[in-house]
Structures are given as structure tokens and as C-alpha cells.
Amino acid sequence: MEQGVIKFGKNLVSTKECLAPGHSFCPGCAEALTIRLVGKALGENFIMAMATGCDEVCTTPLPYTSWRIPWLHTIFENAAAEISGVEAGLKIMIKKGKMPDKKIKCVAMGGDGATSDIGLQALSGAFERGHEFLYICLDNEAYMNTGIQRSSATPFGASTTTQPAGKVSSGQPTWKKNVPAIAIAHDIPYVATACPSYPFDLMNKVKKAASIEGPSYIHVLSVCPTGWRIPSNMTITLGKLAVETAVFPLYEVESEKYTLNVKPQKLRPVEEYLKPQGRFRHLTPELIEKIQHRVNVEYGRLLAKVSTE
Ligand SMILES: Cc1ncc(C[n+]2csc(CCOP(=O)(O)OP(=O)(O)O)c2C)c(N)n1
């Protein structure tokens, strides 16, 4: 493994990788990129609990693993419960003098299915109990690992295998569940959105979340070439378009203070984000307009909360 740091403009980035080569993520997968950036931001002192999903099956085809840090796989619905136990266990071991009093960051990760649907209860409980952990949702907007089934984070109009677009359906009939807003409603100290198309913003947020006492949550838009029906070399572009159209604004909330981290001078039309994606190929101009309207309303609501100090 290469050691040290590499310079990108003013930024120094670790050359160390938390994932060894040989994992089986699809070409262009933003989950793989996010995991590597999270590892670079956190260094070596972290423990990861991971829900079932692409992130887990692609890194740990039994009996092999790509993880170079302590890593636990748990069942689909309880990554947050598992990391709660790890965090509580570490605290008591340190208190009893069985471990050195060294800061070890506890991190849990799950896909949007694991987070917004089946693991939401465990996540809410861990936030409410105030465990010191960072939860990262890798949101590729469907249950991708098992074949592109819709989740509550699938955006309106997207075609999935369980809500396919056709004669009787225009794809997902409901609006994307706002999980960052649910996290914020728990009054935890730090909540942010991020996207690996903005790697330094993502790494800074991970570092900040790791330094905060109490629970923190980062919701990462994770472009999925396989499920979104895009060429694998469009991942970074698509992530940028999601931000530049305000489909996925990058913001953070620290002790109730909202900050918009990337503020486009002029928003691009949502159509520029939808058009390259096969999952939206069936959308009529009326449906695109409906999505544009929704994005305008939601972005307006966010801007109204952003601190102007
Ligand atoms: C209780 C339970 N239900 C269903 C499954 C099957 N299953 C495994 S991974 C997965 C999809 C995971 O989707 P998501 O959390 O969005 O992560 P992704 O694979 O998209 O990264 C499903 C349905 C399971 N393992 N456990």
C-alpha cells in the first residue's frame, strides 16, 4: 500500500486506502468512491458496521474481504443498532481500563433501502439515545443489489423493476423521502448532504462529523450507472448535475444552523439532469415540468432556512 499524502491544489489527501483492490463494485459506482473518500477522511481509527447492500456484498464475498479496517456486517435493518452496541462497549472497556483511552470513531453505513425503509427505526433509536457515531447513507435511489427495486428514496418518475414505466405506470408514483429532514428532526448535532462529485466537500463533512460529540448523519447521493441506466463514465457529471439543478443540494446543519455548501449562480433546468438517464427516458414534458416545480418548491424551502450571517 502506498503511504503518505498527495496534493490537490491547496488540499492534502491521504494516499492510504481503506479498501483493498479486488472488490466487485460495478464500473463507475459512486458507492465505491464514497467509501474510499470516507476512509481517506477518517484515517485508520474507525470501526464500521454495514447493512446488507451493494456496499457489503461487493466488498466481502465470503471468505474474502477488501476491508483494511475493523468491519462488521449486520443484517439489513440494524446497522445503527449494531454500531450503538459497539460504541457503548468501547466506552465501558475504556472506563474499566481494558482499552487505552483513544478516540475510535464508530461509523455505520447502509444503502437507501437499509436507511430510509427497513433500518429507519434502528437509526431513529440510535439518534434518540445519543450514541456517538456517524451514520452514512449511500443513496443510489433503489434496492440496487437485489435488482433495482424501488425504495422510498426512489425519485418520482424513475422506472424500477417493481414500478416499471409502461402503459399503466410512469415509474415511481411518490416523491423521494427526505431522510436528512428526519435526521434533523431528531435534533442531533450534525446533519449534512454530500456527493462524491464534490470530494473535498464530502471529506470535510466526514471529518467534521467525526469530530462532533453525539450522533451525526451524512446523506450521500450515490450515482449508480447500472440502476440509473447511464454510461459508467458519467458518474461524476451526473452528481454535479444533481447539485447544479438543485435536485440534490449540498448543505449542512450544525446545531440548527443551515449552511448551503455549493450555491450555483443560476440553477440548470432539471431536464438536463433527467435526460441522460435511462430510468427517466419515458417522462413526458408535463411530468418533467411537475418535477421541476417540486424541485423549485423544495429548494426555496431550503434557502429560507439557510443562515445569512
Ligand atoms: C430483511 C431482509 N429483506 C430483504 C433482504 C434482501 N436484500 C439484501 S440487500 C437488498 C437491497 C439493498 O438495498 P439498499 O439498502 O438500497 O442498498 P444498495 O444495494 O442499493 O446499495 C435486499 C432487498 C435482506 N437481506 N434482508
XYZ file of all heavy atoms in Angstrom, residues 49-141:
699
model
N -19.808 -0.555 10.888
C -20.892 -1.545 10.844
C -21.656 -1.298 9.557
O -21.981 -0.150 9.240
C -21.816 -1.374 12.044
N -21.931 -2.341 8.816
C -22.524 -2.149 7.492
C -23.750 -3.030 7.286
O -23.726 -4.222 7.577
C -21.467 -2.450 6.434
C -21.902 -2.132 5.035
S -20.477 -2.080 3.930
C -20.010 -0.363 4.031
N -24.807 -2.396 6.796
C -26.030 -3.148 6.484
C -25.815 -3.959 5.206
O -24.917 -3.670 4.424
C -27.184 -2.170 6.298
N -26.647 -4.924 4.989
C -26.636 -5.658 3.720
C -26.936 -4.689 2.581
O -27.751 -3.800 2.730
C -27.729 -6.752 3.753
O -27.530 -7.527 4.917
C -27.686 -7.619 2.532
N -26.263 -4.858 1.480
C -26.472 -3.970 0.324
C -25.286 -4.107 -0.609
O -24.378 -4.904 -0.363
N -25.261 -3.300 -1.686
C -24.135 -3.358 -2.630
C -22.811 -3.174 -1.899
O -21.829 -3.878 -2.165
C -24.253 -2.247 -3.666
S -25.624 -2.402 -4.800
N -22.789 -2.180 -0.952
C -21.542 -1.877 -0.251
C -20.983 -3.103 0.469
O -19.778 -3.292 0.549
C -21.737 -0.711 0.737
C -23.016 -0.818 1.563
O -23.729 -1.835 1.440
O -23.290 0.114 2.345
N -21.884 -3.916 0.968
C -21.443 -5.100 1.723
C -21.104 -6.268 0.781
O -20.016 -6.845 0.861
C -22.554 -5.479 2.724
C -22.364 -6.813 3.406
C -23.189 -7.902 2.768
O -24.304 -7.597 2.288
O -22.738 -9.042 2.723
N -22.022 -6.582 -0.139
C -21.756 -7.771 -0.970
C -20.557 -7.567 -1.908
O -19.854 -8.514 -2.230
C -22.986 -8.234 -1.797
C -24.129 -8.668 -0.940
C -23.433 -7.183 -2.783
N -20.323 -6.313 -2.309
C -19.208 -6.069 -3.241
C -17.851 -6.030 -2.546
O -16.814 -6.102 -3.205
C -19.418 -4.767 -4.007
S -20.870 -4.812 -5.050
N -17.850 -5.864 -1.210
C -16.563 -5.795 -0.508
C -16.221 -7.087 0.222
O -15.075 -7.281 0.625
C -16.545 -4.641 0.529
O -17.629 -4.835 1.450
C -16.671 -3.291 -0.128
N -17.222 -7.942 0.429
C -16.951 -9.121 1.263
C -17.556 -10.402 0.701
O -18.453 -10.984 1.304
C -17.509 -8.925 2.698
O -18.859 -8.504 2.570
C -16.725 -7.953 3.488
N -17.099 -10.836 -0.469
C -17.576 -12.135 -0.957
C -16.889 -13.238 -0.140
O -15.718 -13.533 -0.371
C -17.138 -12.149 -2.422
C -15.976 -11.208 -2.473
C -16.100 -10.248 -1.346
N -17.619 -13.783 0.840
C -17.051 -14.775 1.758
C -16.217 -15.828 1.011
O -16.673 -16.289 -0.029
C -18.214 -15.460 2.486
C -17.861 -16.198 3.773
C -17.591 -15.191 4.882
C -18.993 -17.126 4.168
N -15.026 -16.175 1.390
C -14.323 -15.823 2.622
C -13.361 -14.643 2.464
O -12.446 -14.505 3.269
C -13.544 -17.104 2.915
C -13.132 -17.578 1.545
C -14.263 -17.201 0.626
N -13.540 -13.818 1.464
C -12.609 -12.702 1.260
C -13.195 -11.398 1.773
O -14.411 -11.263 1.890
C -12.281 -12.550 -0.236
C -11.738 -13.811 -0.847
C -12.522 -14.579 -1.695
C -10.445 -14.238 -0.555
C -12.033 -15.754 -2.235
C -9.951 -15.415 -1.103
C -10.749 -16.173 -1.938
O -10.265 -17.329 -2.470
N -12.332 -10.431 2.013
C -12.809 -9.081 2.332
C -11.831 -8.066 1.784
O -10.626 -8.317 1.710
C -12.975 -8.881 3.855
O -13.419 -7.527 4.069
C -11.692 -9.092 4.633
N -12.366 -6.921 1.361
C -11.500 -5.827 0.889
C -11.198 -4.841 1.999
O -10.440 -3.902 1.793
C -12.194 -5.068 -0.252
O -12.312 -5.883 -1.374
N -11.818 -5.030 3.168
C -11.683 -4.024 4.231
C -10.343 -4.109 4.937
O -9.920 -5.195 5.339
C -12.827 -4.164 5.239
C -14.112 -3.726 4.626
C -15.059 -4.514 4.032
C -14.584 -2.380 4.506
N -16.084 -3.746 3.542
C -15.826 -2.426 3.822
C -14.089 -1.136 4.898
C -16.561 -1.279 3.535
C -14.829 0.002 4.610
C -16.047 -0.080 3.934
N -9.716 -2.947 5.125
C -8.453 -2.892 5.856
C -8.650 -2.292 7.249
O -7.697 -1.931 7.906
C -7.444 -2.038 5.081
C -6.932 -2.767 3.853
C -6.132 -1.805 2.985
N -5.287 -2.526 2.069
C -4.854 -2.050 0.925
N -5.204 -0.842 0.541
N -4.081 -2.759 0.151
N -9.909 -2.132 7.645
C -10.221 -1.613 8.987
C -11.173 -2.626 9.641
O -11.746 -3.471 8.952
C -10.902 -0.225 8.911
C -12.074 -0.259 7.913
C -9.906 0.853 8.549
C -13.332 0.241 8.452
N -11.373 -2.536 10.980
C -12.338 -3.441 11.611
C -13.739 -3.174 11.052
O -14.194 -2.035 11.031
C -12.263 -3.060 13.099
C -11.004 -2.302 13.256
C -10.705 -1.658 11.947
N -14.381 -4.210 10.599
C -15.630 -4.065 9.834
C -16.593 -5.169 10.243
O -16.187 -6.323 10.398
C -15.280 -4.163 8.345
C -16.430 -4.109 7.400
C -16.936 -2.985 6.811
C -17.209 -5.210 6.898
N -17.979 -3.317 5.988
C -18.168 -4.671 6.024
C -17.190 -6.584 7.108
C -19.095 -5.462 5.355
C -18.119 -7.369 6.448
C -19.052 -6.815 5.576
N -17.846 -4.810 10.449
C -18.847 -5.820 10.834
C -20.012 -5.770 9.855
O -20.514 -4.687 9.547
C -19.429 -5.518 12.221
C -18.531 -5.479 13.426
C -18.040 -4.060 13.690
C -19.324 -5.934 14.630
N -20.405 -6.943 9.417
C -21.636 -6.997 8.628
C -22.778 -7.341 9.563
O -22.653 -8.160 10.456
C -21.529 -8.063 7.541
C -22.826 -8.294 6.822
N -23.315 -9.545 6.542
C -23.748 -7.413 6.364
C -24.482 -9.426 5.917
N -24.759 -8.155 5.800
N -23.883 -6.670 9.361
C -25.045 -6.976 10.182
C -26.210 -7.263 9.250
O -26.051 -7.215 8.044
C -25.349 -5.778 11.102
O -26.455 -6.121 11.920
C -25.682 -4.535 10.311
N -27.359 -7.580 9.827
C -28.498 -7.807 8.944
C -28.976 -6.468 8.389
O -28.558 -5.410 8.829
C -29.627 -8.599 9.631
C -29.967 -7.986 10.977
C -29.227 -10.061 9.770
C -31.169 -8.627 11.638
N -29.843 -6.567 7.426
C -30.257 -5.424 6.620
C -30.727 -4.242 7.470
O -30.422 -3.092 7.181
C -31.404 -5.926 5.734
C -31.698 -5.109 4.533
C -30.845 -4.130 4.069
C -32.875 -5.336 3.826
C -31.138 -3.398 2.947
C -33.178 -4.616 2.707
C -32.315 -3.640 2.266
N -31.487 -4.543 8.530
C -32.227 -3.482 9.202
C -31.546 -2.870 10.424
O -32.109 -1.984 11.041
C -33.626 -3.998 9.605
C -33.642 -5.263 10.451
C -33.700 -6.535 9.599
O -32.985 -6.578 8.584
O -34.447 -7.461 9.967
N -30.358 -3.339 10.815
C -29.915 -2.825 12.110
C -28.450 -2.382 12.202
O -27.831 -2.540 13.243
C -30.263 -3.821 13.221
C -29.380 -5.028 13.174
O -28.789 -5.305 12.141
N -29.276 -5.730 14.290
N -27.941 -1.759 11.153
C -26.564 -1.239 11.235
C -26.447 -0.225 12.374
O -25.453 -0.218 13.112
C -26.164 -0.589 9.907
N -27.467 0.623 12.533
C -27.393 1.664 13.579
C -27.461 1.036 14.968
O -26.792 1.505 15.898
C -28.520 2.676 13.394
N -28.244 -0.045 15.123
C -28.322 -0.714 16.425
C -26.988 -1.384 16.734
O -26.498 -1.344 17.870
C -29.458 -1.746 16.411
N -26.392 -1.973 15.713
C -25.122 -2.669 15.931
C -24.005 -1.698 16.322
O -23.254 -1.948 17.266
C -24.736 -3.427 14.667
C -23.505 -4.285 14.872
C -23.156 -5.081 13.632
O -23.177 -4.482 12.548
O -22.867 -6.269 13.751
N -23.934 -0.570 15.634
C -22.867 0.384 15.965
C -23.135 1.010 17.342
O -22.194 1.389 18.049
C -22.674 1.459 14.857
C -21.242 2.008 14.865
C -23.651 2.607 14.978
C -20.179 1.103 14.441
N -24.410 1.085 17.743
C -24.731 1.577 19.104
C -24.081 0.669 20.136
O -23.490 1.134 21.125
C -26.247 1.558 19.365
O -26.937 2.320 18.437
N -24.178 -0.638 19.904
C -23.595 -1.609 20.826
C -22.081 -1.517 20.848
O -21.446 -1.574 21.907
N -21.496 -1.327 19.663
C -20.029 -1.204 19.574
C -19.578 0.030 20.357
O -18.645 -0.026 21.166
C -19.577 -1.102 18.094
C -18.100 -0.737 17.999
C -19.858 -2.403 17.349
N -20.274 1.132 20.134
C -19.891 2.393 20.795
C -20.020 2.264 22.306
O -19.132 2.675 23.063
C -20.781 3.525 20.253
C -20.385 4.900 20.730
C -21.290 5.443 21.819
O -22.188 4.726 22.310
O -21.078 6.590 22.223
N -21.132 1.672 22.766
C -21.340 1.514 24.211
C -20.281 0.571 24.795
O -19.747 0.808 25.884
C -22.748 0.979 24.468
N -19.953 -0.484 24.052
C -18.947 -1.452 24.502
C -17.571 -0.823 24.631
O -16.859 -1.033 25.618
N -17.199 -0.014 23.619
C -15.889 0.648 23.663
C -15.796 1.566 24.881
O -14.785 1.581 25.584
C -15.669 1.482 22.383
C -15.336 0.718 21.109
C -15.276 1.673 19.923
C -14.005 -0.018 21.244
N -16.886 2.319 25.119
C -16.911 3.261 26.252
C -16.659 2.532 27.569
O -15.853 2.965 28.389
C -18.300 3.917 26.312
C -18.286 5.347 25.870
C -19.621 5.971 26.220
C -19.819 7.228 25.408
N -21.210 7.512 25.200
N -17.316 1.396 27.741
C -17.216 0.692 29.023
C -15.841 0.025 29.169
O -15.269 -0.006 30.253
C -18.401 -0.299 29.223
C -18.633 -0.579 30.710
C -18.263 -1.578 28.493
C -19.299 0.517 31.439
N -15.287 -0.454 28.053
C -13.942 -1.060 28.091
C -12.911 -0.008 28.498
O -12.002 -0.278 29.287
C -13.564 -1.608 26.714
C -14.488 -2.690 26.200
S -13.888 -4.331 26.517
C -12.721 -4.506 25.217
N -13.069 1.203 27.958
C -12.133 2.287 28.295
C -12.306 2.651 29.773
O -11.332 2.790 30.516
C -12.361 3.516 27.372
C -11.919 3.163 25.951
C -11.608 4.750 27.886
C -12.302 4.155 24.877
N -13.576 2.739 30.225
C -13.863 3.094 31.625
C -13.251 2.069 32.589
O -12.722 2.420 33.639
C -15.389 3.148 31.809
C -15.821 3.912 33.020
C -17.324 4.109 33.007
C -17.802 4.546 34.375
N -19.246 4.446 34.489
N -13.287 0.808 32.197
C -12.745 -0.248 33.066
C -11.236 -0.403 32.910
O -10.637 -1.319 33.485
C -13.422 -1.589 32.728
C -14.869 -1.669 33.195
C -15.436 -3.036 32.917
C -16.813 -3.187 33.526
N -17.416 -4.478 33.185
N -10.638 0.422 32.060
C -9.193 0.373 31.867
C -8.738 -0.819 31.031
O -7.553 -1.167 31.021
N -9.660 -1.437 30.305
C -9.292 -2.599 29.488
C -8.813 -2.191 28.096
O -8.401 -3.041 27.308
C -10.490 -3.548 29.369
C -10.871 -4.166 30.695
C -11.888 -5.259 30.531
C -12.086 -5.933 31.879
N -13.129 -6.917 31.888
N -8.967 -0.902 27.802
C -8.516 -0.391 26.498
C -7.898 0.970 26.709
O -8.333 1.700 27.607
C -9.717 -0.226 25.558
C -10.034 -1.433 24.724
S -11.358 -1.052 23.580
C -10.581 0.171 22.547
N -6.928 1.364 25.879
C -6.399 2.726 26.012
C -7.483 3.748 25.673
O -8.352 3.478 24.831
C -5.262 2.765 24.992
C -5.422 1.577 24.122
C -6.264 0.586 24.837
N -7.429 4.895 26.334
C -8.436 5.933 26.102
C -8.106 6.668 24.803
O -7.589 7.780 24.806
C -8.463 6.893 27.301
C -9.664 7.836 27.212
O -10.414 7.737 26.229
O -9.820 8.662 28.126
N -8.387 6.025 23.710
C -8.048 6.559 22.391
C -9.347 6.741 21.614
O -10.231 5.875 21.693
C -7.159 5.530 21.682
C -6.454 6.054 20.473
C -5.299 5.143 20.137
C -5.538 4.451 18.825
N -4.520 3.562 18.390
N -9.457 7.841 20.896
C -10.699 8.078 20.166
C -10.798 7.137 18.956
O -9.984 7.184 18.050
C -10.762 9.537 19.719
C -12.038 9.888 19.029
C -12.564 11.246 19.447
C -13.819 11.552 18.638
N -14.943 11.906 19.381
N -11.788 6.268 18.992
C -12.057 5.395 17.843
C -13.437 5.775 17.330
O -14.411 5.715 18.081
C -12.042 3.909 18.247
C -10.655 3.540 18.776
C -12.428 3.011 17.073
C -10.575 2.163 19.387
N -13.500 6.214 16.086
C -14.787 6.653 15.558
C -15.636 5.455 15.152
O -15.165 4.536 14.488
C -14.561 7.578 14.355
C -15.812 8.292 13.917
C -16.297 9.286 14.945
C -17.797 9.547 14.801
N -18.346 10.355 15.887
N -16.884 5.482 15.566
C -17.824 4.418 15.191
C -18.662 4.900 14.014
O -19.292 5.955 14.100
C -18.726 4.082 16.376
S -17.821 3.335 17.724
N -18.645 4.132 12.942
C -19.348 4.540 11.721
C -20.285 3.418 11.280
O -19.916 2.240 11.350
C -18.342 4.840 10.575
C -19.058 5.349 9.334
C -17.281 5.839 11.020
N -21.484 3.783 10.860
C -22.390 2.804 10.248
C -22.729 3.279 8.847
O -22.808 4.488 8.599
C -23.661 2.663 11.078
N -22.893 2.323 7.951
C -23.247 2.666 6.571
C -24.355 1.759 6.092
O -24.393 0.571 6.435
C -22.045 2.419 5.644
C -21.320 3.651 5.228
S -20.093 3.224 3.974
C -19.048 4.654 4.122
N -25.214 2.304 5.271
C -26.251 1.484 4.648
C -26.745 2.164 3.391
O -26.568 3.374 3.211
N -27.384 1.411 2.530
C -27.979 1.975 1.318
C -29.261 2.713 1.656
O -29.658 2.804 2.826
N -29.928 3.231 0.624
C -31.174 3.970 0.891
C -32.280 3.030 1.365
O -33.118 3.402 2.181
C -31.627 4.762 -0.330
C -31.660 3.931 -1.598
O -30.577 3.630 -2.126
O -32.763 3.563 -2.048
N -32.271 1.776 0.884
C -33.272 0.811 1.378
C -33.033 0.540 2.854
O -33.956 0.600 3.676
N -31.776 0.289 3.205
C -31.419 -0.013 4.590
C -31.670 1.183 5.502
O -31.938 1.012 6.688
C -29.949 -0.418 4.671
N -31.587 2.388 4.961
C -31.690 3.591 5.787
C -33.111 4.152 5.819
O -33.685 4.333 6.887
C -30.727 4.682 5.247
O -29.426 4.115 5.118
C -30.690 5.880 6.171
N -33.667 4.411 4.636
C -34.951 5.127 4.618
C -36.143 4.195 4.811
O -37.231 4.656 5.148
C -35.102 5.908 3.312
O -35.063 5.044 2.208
N -35.954 2.906 4.584
C -37.069 1.966 4.776
C -36.824 1.071 5.987
O -37.250 1.350 7.082
C -37.248 1.071 3.534
C -37.666 1.858 2.307
O -38.225 2.950 2.472
O -37.420 1.389 1.193
N -36.040 0.032 5.766
C -36.037 -1.075 6.724
C -35.208 -0.805 7.980
O -35.480 -1.363 9.029
C -35.606 -2.375 5.998
C -35.933 -3.598 6.845
C -34.183 -2.340 5.564
C -35.923 -4.875 6.059
N -34.251 0.136 7.916
C -33.424 0.414 9.101
C -33.757 1.725 9.786
O -33.046 2.151 10.692
N -34.836 2.358 9.359
C -35.150 3.699 9.882
C -35.419 3.672 11.384
O -35.019 4.587 12.115
C -36.359 4.271 9.129
C -36.641 5.756 9.346
C -35.475 6.628 8.943
C -37.884 6.185 8.573
N -36.060 2.613 11.842
C -36.386 2.529 13.270
C -35.108 2.421 14.114
O -34.963 3.104 15.131
C -37.289 1.323 13.504
C -37.684 1.141 14.946
C -38.386 -0.194 15.175
O -38.656 -0.927 14.223
N -38.673 -0.505 16.406
N -34.175 1.561 13.665
C -32.919 1.395 14.402
C -32.124 2.704 14.397
O -31.509 3.084 15.401
C -32.091 0.272 13.778
N -32.165 3.404 13.262
C -31.437 4.674 13.143
C -32.044 5.716 14.079
O -31.331 6.409 14.814
C -31.488 5.152 11.683
C -30.727 6.422 11.348
C -29.243 6.275 11.655
C -30.911 6.787 9.871
N -33.356 5.801 14.076
C -34.048 6.764 14.941
C -33.717 6.486 16.412
O -33.438 7.410 17.186
C -35.558 6.682 14.688
O -36.247 7.488 15.598
N -33.719 5.209 16.793
C -33.411 4.835 18.179
C -31.995 5.237 18.568
O -31.758 5.787 19.650
N -31.051 5.015 17.662
C -29.651 5.338 17.962
C -29.452 6.854 18.076
O -28.709 7.331 18.932
C -28.740 4.752 16.883
N -30.144 7.612 17.221
C -30.083 9.086 17.320
C -30.645 9.528 18.670
O -30.081 10.352 19.362
C -30.942 9.742 16.225
C -30.324 9.753 14.848
C -31.120 9.942 13.716
C -28.953 9.606 14.660
C -30.579 9.981 12.451
C -28.400 9.636 13.389
C -29.219 9.822 12.286
N -31.786 8.951 19.009
C -32.500 9.380 20.221
C -31.698 9.044 21.483
O -31.660 9.832 22.437
C -33.892 8.711 20.214
C -34.799 9.073 21.369
C -34.651 8.099 22.513
O -34.460 6.890 22.265
O -34.706 8.538 23.659
N -31.002 7.901 21.469
C -30.207 7.536 22.651
C -28.906 8.340 22.738
O -28.239 8.339 23.749
C -29.871 6.031 22.617
C -31.080 5.115 22.824
C -30.637 3.662 22.968
N -29.932 3.170 21.798
C -30.502 2.619 20.731
N -31.815 2.469 20.682
N -29.784 2.207 19.714
N -28.560 9.017 21.642
C -27.406 9.920 21.664
C -26.055 9.233 21.546
O -25.049 9.754 22.030
N -26.012 8.073 20.928
C -24.713 7.402 20.753
C -23.769 8.287 19.945
O -24.199 9.030 19.069
C -24.899 6.070 20.012
C -25.595 5.050 20.829
N -24.969 4.319 21.813
C -26.886 4.648 20.836
C -25.832 3.506 22.380
N -27.010 3.689 21.809
N -22.481 8.148 20.217
C -21.507 8.937 19.462
C -21.101 8.129 18.229
O -20.240 7.250 18.299
C -20.299 9.246 20.341
C -19.437 10.284 19.686
C -18.493 10.956 20.659
O -18.771 10.960 21.874
O -17.466 11.449 20.181
N -21.775 8.387 17.137
C -21.487 7.632 15.915
C -21.847 8.468 14.700
O -22.606 9.431 14.782
C -22.254 6.296 15.902
C -23.725 6.420 15.557
C -24.234 5.879 14.377
C -24.609 7.075 16.403
C -25.581 5.996 14.053
C -25.957 7.194 16.086
C -26.445 6.644 14.916
N -21.270 8.074 13.585
C -21.599 8.718 12.310
C -22.322 7.694 11.441
O -21.818 6.595 11.230
C -20.307 9.187 11.615
C -20.396 9.500 10.115
C -21.363 10.655 9.847
C -19.005 9.863 9.561
N -23.491 8.069 10.960
C -24.217 7.196 10.031
C -24.133 7.812 8.632
O -24.429 8.988 8.442
C -25.685 7.050 10.450
C -26.394 5.974 9.651
C -26.584 4.701 10.178
C -26.844 6.211 8.351
C -27.206 3.702 9.439
C -27.457 5.218 7.601
C -27.636 3.968 8.154
O -28.246 2.974 7.416
N -23.719 7.000 7.666
C -23.644 7.482 6.285
C -24.598 6.666 5.427
O -24.500 5.435 5.368
C -22.205 7.364 5.732
C -21.251 8.210 6.587
C -22.147 7.809 4.272
C -19.787 8.081 6.213
N -25.531 7.366 4.791
C -26.445 6.681 3.860
C -25.879 6.805 2.458
O -25.620 7.914 1.979
C -27.837 7.315 3.919
S -28.939 6.656 2.647
N -25.684 5.667 1.802
C -25.231 5.653 0.414
C -26.485 5.530 -0.448
O -26.994 4.431 -0.673
C -24.283 4.477 0.176
C -23.013 4.458 1.039
C -22.274 3.137 0.889
C -22.104 5.617 0.667
N -26.989 6.661 -0.891
C -28.311 6.693 -1.535
C -28.188 6.582 -3.055
O -27.943 7.573 -3.744
C -28.998 8.006 -1.135
C -30.390 8.138 -1.726
O -30.866 7.173 -2.357
O -31.009 9.210 -1.559
N -28.378 5.354 -3.552
C -28.391 5.186 -5.013
C -29.824 5.075 -5.531
O -30.086 4.693 -6.651
C -27.525 3.995 -5.461
C -27.918 2.713 -4.754
O -29.033 2.592 -4.240
N -27.020 1.744 -4.717
N -30.750 5.399 -4.673
C -32.162 5.630 -5.003
C -32.940 4.395 -5.440
O -33.925 4.489 -6.156
C -32.280 6.761 -6.034
C -31.643 8.062 -5.521
C -31.985 9.305 -6.327
O -31.970 9.205 -7.567
O -32.264 10.342 -5.709
